[in-house]
Amino acid sequence: METMDYSESTGMLGAIAGVGLFIYFLIIAFFIIVAWKINTKAGKPGWACIVPIYNMIVTLEIVGKPIWWILLLIFPLTAPIFAIWITNLLSKSFGKGVGFTLGLLFLPIIFYPILAFGSAEYQGPAGAAPAVAVA
């Protein structure tokens, strides 16, 4: 009976997995840099993007929504709706429209860097309650 030597194929699979893991970490590092830049453009600490839960609090401050909205992002039925809403408010907070929001939702690897490194300037929280003029 002949024994099979799988050492070459195992080495190749390991190399492919290593390259895939490297690319994965590059993408994560890229999105951390992008989120860091978006936070700093909005006058918030950049490091907040790497702290779980606090990053959502900062995002909610950027778009002008209360902190208790985090609860709406926990529940599976409400999370997609409010995540899209927050993305739209983020777009509006930087002076962009609905088309840019769709880009953020469907092509994030292109549109988030445009938001971070492009000419868009933070214009204040889009979701804040409008000021009421008192006569």
Side-chain angles (χ1 to χ4, degrees):
M1 187 173 259
E2 189 177 323
T3 59
M4 301 296 282
D5 183 19
Y6 294 106
S7 61
E8 285 185 31
S9 62
T10 305
M12 181 64 93
L13 289 175
I16 291 170
V19 169
L21 196 60
F22 179 73
I23 292 170
Y24 175 72
F25 282 121
L26 278 179
I27 292 169
I28 289 173
F30 175 72
F31 274 109
I32 288 172
I33 293 167
V34 167
W36 194 298
K37 180 66 176 169
I38 290 171
N39 283 358
T40 56
K41 267 187 158 182
K44 301 293 180 185
W47 56 264
C49 70
I50 58 175
V51 180
I53 300 173
Y54 183 61
N55 64 355
M56 280 310 306
I57 292 171
V58 170
T59 302
L60 289 171
E61 289 174 356
I62 290 171
V63 301
K65 288 300 175 189
I67 294 173
W68 63 265
W69 268 39
I70 288 177
L71 298 174
L72 299 170
L73 295 169
I74 292 173
F75 298 109
L77 295 176
T78 59
I81 296 164
F82 284 92
I84 291 169
W85 192 349
I86 290 168
T87 303
N88 185 38
L89 291 173
L90 180 67
S91 179
K92 288 181 178 181
S93 295
F94 281 90
K96 303 293 184 181
V98 175
F100 200 84
T101 299
L102 293 172
L104 290 173
L105 292 170
F106 294 111
L107 294 169
I109 199 156
I110 296 170
F111 281 82
Y112 275 99
I114 290 171
L115 189 63
F117 302 111
S119 62
E121 292 183 20
Y122 182 64
Q123 300 179 357
V132 178
V134 178

